[in-house]
Amino acid sequence: MSFLHSYDARTGQTLGAPIAASSQAEVDAAVQAAHAAFADWQHSDGPRRAALLEALAGQLEAQRAELVALADQETGLGAGRLNGELDRTCFQLRRFAQGVSQGSAFAFTDDPAVPGAPPQGHPAMMRVRVPLGPVAMFSASNFPFAFSVLGGDTASALAAGCPVVVKAHSGHLQLSLRVHALALQALASLGLPAGLIGLVRGAGNEIGRALVEHPLIAAGAFTGSTRGGAALLAAARQRARPIPFYGELGSINPVVATPEYLQAGGEALAQTLAASISLGCGQFCTNPGLLVFQRDPASSTFVARLQAALAAQQPHVMLTRGMREALDRGTEAQLAAGARALLHEPVDSLNPRPFLAEVDAPRFLASETLREEVFGPASLIVWTDSVAQTLEVLRAVGGSLTVTLWGVETDTPDHRRLVRGAMAIAGRVLFAGVPTGVAVTAAQQHGGPWPSSSEPMTTSVGDAALDRFLRPVALQDMPAWLTARQGQPC
Ligand code: NAP
């Protein structure tokens, strides 16, 4: 039997007693229990699903002080941020509760019969959706509540009628176990089976892989690095029966700005951007890791302001020692690939200093290294000579959760090209503000082309996240009792 440890993010010391890793037999048992729970849950009605989601939110809120303290110890993210994240997690759970009680999971297309010969004439058709089945869920280190055991993927899967088996993140193991215990209490209080929300733990990659490869798992939902997501995506595709794998991955989130916009924004804009780069110690998938500026004295003045504003930031500790080391490797790799440091203060501490570097567009276009995510308070400026070159830079990025476009308020051919270029590679395009912060709402799209997501047609945040776990089925010439169910699975 192997054992896992939880660590205090600020001291690196182990926290609590060692935790036994799940065996292959335990993974199998968790998936079997989820499969058994699916038999009923798949045709549960909206109020039943809503009651569970509400109860889960209630548990998190009732134990807020204890959970936030534990999360803070394991992640170092601070009580302010973690309280806000817990609020957001409860909001997500309740939003899906409200949606499913209003019928979001049971939406259908009714297409009554049309008499006559085809193609105009056709039989009665009803397009409904059925839940996929047990979902293997992988949480991210940087969102111990909102993208973890009871995070968005769990909320949307349960609302869709799917059980989940969560692979606990090694970066907040104790918190994952505690939140799971609360989830089991919520299930018991409603007379629901424990198998609806399972949890497995593992060192290394074997447990995660075993989970995705289990024949009774119907889909994967992953939030984490592009490297980890790619490995599990490959495992999902190599199965005898491949399954959908919704990977929300790393992203460099270009910010493109005209010199005029930078000049008008001045000091306040520089402060806002510096705060976004170092928010949460830069550990956000929407962190602005790439700044694409056109050469101009106004742009240079802004960069000097940004450099000063960033130098004044005091990032807190990183989530794990491994991430702290990866940040140094990432910034060194950028410098080795030809970027020039503007702000680079190497320190031997778990708290990094912000990093800012610059590079010309041709070198950026020639180097894959410069297009890789550097997870932490770091950003790279790419200098371009023209709109055409800016578009080349965006094309080279290829896929991103966001692109921010500052200064395209008027309808001109160049601005249209920039908007087209941004929409071609991003799931979300912002025209004001900074990309950190993802609203949980109806029109949200959190997922862009590879390498930012494995399924860019779907979103992991917002109401449409539910759709990932539902598969359409067309009913043809169905009996009246089935029509009367109005999209509710039987
Ligand atoms: P990570 O290292 O990829 O870990 C995510 C989960 O996957 C963990 O449970 C990890 O296991 C597991 N895992 C990683 N590689 C694996 C492999 N090869 N086989 C099986 N399992 C594997 O990511 P992270 O460090 O938690 O999170 C930081 C990254 O997530 C950043 O790149 C950030 O941009 C991205 N992120 C993306 C989003 C988004 O919505 N797109 C949101 C937040 C974060 P262990 O627990 O054992 O390490």
Side-chain angles (χ1 to χ4, degrees):
M1 184 186 286
S2 65
F3 285 89
L4 312 170
H5 293 276
S6 160
Y7 295 93
D8 184 311
R10 293 187 181 85
T11 64
Q13 301 297 310
T14 52
L15 264 182
I19 296 161
S22 303
S23 62
Q24 297 281 343
E26 284 168 324
V27 173
D28 182 54
V31 178
Q32 294 283 358
H35 177 68
F38 181 55
D40 273 341
W41 192 248
Q42 64 181 310
H43 55 77
S44 55
D45 61 18
R48 199 147 158 248
R49 296 184 197 179
L52 173 58
L53 295 165
E54 292 279 359
L56 295 172
Q59 287 282 6
L60 290 178
E61 277 172 349
Q63 306 304 327
R64 171 189 294 272
E66 175 209 345
L67 296 177
V68 166
L70 185 52
D72 186 38
Q73 258 189 308
E74 285 189 299
T75 67
L77 288 173
R81 146 77 196 272
L82 289 164
N83 271 297
E85 191 183 322
L86 190 141
D87 287 340
R88 174 207 166 112
T89 308
C90 295
F91 179 83
Q92 282 175 171
L93 287 159
R94 294 202 170 103
R95 190 163 171 112
F96 281 111
Q98 190 187 24
V100 76
S101 56
Q102 291 168 353
S104 58
F106 313 117
F108 62 95
T109 307
D110 191 13
D111 202 352
V114 172
Q120 287 80 11
H122 62 75
M125 308 281 294
M126 186 181 246
R127 187 182 171 90
V128 298
R129 299 183 299 171
V130 290
L132 293 177
V135 177
M137 215 283 283
F138 293 81
S139 7
S141 54
N142 57 336
F143 284 99
F145 292 116
F147 285 87
S148 192
V149 179
L150 295 182
D153 286 342
T154 296
S156 53
L158 289 172
C162 300
V164 295
V165 181
V166 180
K167 150 73 176 66
H169 199 289
S170 54
H172 50 268
L173 210 44
Q174 301 276 9
L175 178 71
S176 300
L177 296 181
R178 183 69 187 114
V179 170
H180 185 240
L182 294 173
L184 294 181
Q185 281 178 25
L187 289 167
S189 72
L190 294 168
L192 292 168
L196 269 181
I197 306 174
L199 184 107
V200 295
R201 321 159 291 274
N205 302 329
E206 284 124 57
I207 290 298
R209 201 178 163 97
L211 191 55
V212 165
E213 287 175 346
H214 196 291
L216 294 177
I217 285 291
F222 174 96
T223 308
S225 63
T226 300
R227 184 172 309 200
L232 290 168
L233 171 67
R237 291 207 172 132
Q238 280 157 15
R239 288 166 45 119
R241 294 184 62 215
I243 51 170
F245 185 82
Y246 304 108
E248 290 304 328
L249 313 174
S251 183
I252 60 174
N253 306 296
V255 175
V256 178
T258 62
E260 298 75 27
Y261 192 94
L262 295 178
Q263 186 165 32
E267 180 62 29
L269 189 65
Q271 292 288 349
T272 302
L273 184 54
S276 176
I277 292 169
S278 51
L279 184 70
C281 198
Q283 301 167 120
F284 278 100
C285 52
T286 49
N287 185 58
L290 193 73
L291 311 175
V292 190
F293 295 161
Q294 235 172 291
R295 284 192 184 287
D296 186 276
S299 306
S300 301
T301 304
F302 179 83
V303 166
R305 286 180 165 141
L306 176 65
Q307 191 178 328
L310 256 185
Q313 295 284 332
Q314 300 291 342
H316 56 66
V317 292
M318 292 198 74
L319 290 156
T320 64
R321 189 174 290 275
M323 285 183 166
R324 176 68 190 85
E325 289 162 4
L327 171 63
D328 283 349
R329 281 198 302 277
T331 54
E332 292 301 336
Q334 287 198 343
L335 298 177
R340 292 176 297 276
L342 294 175
L343 184 62
H344 183 214
E345 302 166 10
V347 282
D348 183 18
S349 150
L350 287 172
N351 302 58
R353 294 289 301 138
F355 173 86
L356 186 67
E358 62 178 358
V359 71
D360 296 335
R363 186 168 286 273
F364 178 81
L365 293 170
S367 168
E368 267 186 44
T369 302
L370 293 175
R371 304 200 283 271
E372 279 175 18
E373 180 190 45
V374 176
F375 198 60
S379 200
L380 177 67
I381 296 163
V382 180
W383 291 109
T384 68
D385 291 328
S386 61
V387 168
Q389 205 172 45
T390 297
L391 290 167
E392 270 187 83
V393 167
L394 290 180
R395 268 196 298 275
V397 170
S400 182
L401 292 171
T402 71
V403 169
T404 302
L405 282 184
W406 285 343
V408 297
E409 278 69 30
T410 51
D411 185 355
T412 69
D414 273 352
H415 291 171
R416 283 187 178 218
R417 289 166 73 204
L418 285 170
V419 172
R420 256 198 318 274
M423 289 178 75
I425 67 156
R428 177 163 59 107
V429 180
L430 297 85
F431 298 93
V434 286
T436 40
V438 185
V440 179
T441 185
Q444 187 55 270
Q445 173 57 31
H446 190 62
W450 187 268
S452 65
S453 310
S454 65
E455 298 285 344
M457 303 78 65
T458 67
T459 178
S460 69
V461 179
D463 300 353
L466 178 94
D467 300 334
R468 296 173 300 163
F469 303 116
L470 294 164
R471 182 175 61 78
V473 178
L475 306 177
Q476 181 169 328
D477 284 334
M478 55 282 179
W481 68 267
L482 213 42
T483 309
R485 290 192 66 82
Q486 300 281 288
Q488 170 94 34
C490 61

